[in-house]
Amino acid sequence: MYRGSFLLAVLYNTAWGSAVILFPRQPFLLAGLPVPDAQGLLFWQCIGMFVLVYAVGYFYLWRDPVRYAPFALVAVLGKVFGPVGWVWAYAQGIVPLSTGLTILTNDLLWWPVWFPFVYKTCLKPVLRPPVPGTEAARP
């Protein structure tokens, strides 16, 4: 289940990041927002580049989820802070509700699978004290 979601993330991030880099005006037009100036579009394309780069990390997670689990923790943090920032911006009247679709597909959609994976592979081993006599108890 985890591996399949990471493969879907590879495909999604590759498509989304590439689309934003190649067609930066389209998301603004679709959301009914004014298209930013050249500097704003360049910044938006940089965000697309970050999303595209995450596809590489998701590829490694797809290949070996346990070995690369800390990357999933980093991804989950982004998938928490992104919606938090969006809620704040929406509450301030900075972005319209229509921009929430991006939060839904970029962030919230992945929570049901990735939160349990991150807990199991990254958080639980750190939060649980090591049992004496096991490999984890060694300095």
Side-chain angles (χ1 to χ4, degrees):
M1 178 162 78
Y2 301 126
R3 289 188 74 222
S5 72
F6 295 134
L7 180 58
L8 287 174
V10 170
L11 300 173
Y12 177 83
N13 281 45
T14 299
W16 195 94
S18 297
V20 167
I21 291 167
L22 297 172
F23 310 103
R25 290 175 176 80
Q26 290 310 115
F28 295 95
L29 296 172
L30 291 171
L33 294 171
V35 175
D37 62 11
Q39 285 180 320
L41 287 176
L42 183 60
F43 180 73
W44 181 240
Q45 287 173 304
C46 286
I47 292 171
M49 182 268 310
F50 288 131
V51 171
L52 185 59
V53 167
Y54 263 70
V56 175
Y58 297 140
F59 176 80
Y60 279 95
L61 278 163
W62 170 64
R63 295 292 308 263
D64 192 345
V66 175
R67 181 176 182 189
Y68 296 105
F71 183 79
L73 175 60
V74 171
V76 163
L77 290 172
K79 292 183 182 313
V80 168
F81 293 127
V84 168
W86 181 85
V87 167
W88 180 86
Y90 177 72
Q92 300 296 313
I94 297 169
V95 296
L97 186 60
S98 62
T99 60
L101 180 60
T102 298
I103 294 301
L104 178 64
T105 59
N106 281 13
D107 301 311
L108 302 180
L109 177 73
W110 309 97
W111 283 19
V113 175
W114 291 8
F115 271 64
F117 174 78
V118 166
Y119 176 75
K120 179 177 135 187
T121 60
C122 297
L123 301 178
K124 189 175 180 183
V126 173
L127 299 174
R128 182 180 57 192
V131 177
T134 64
E135 189 72 27
R138 295 184 186 169

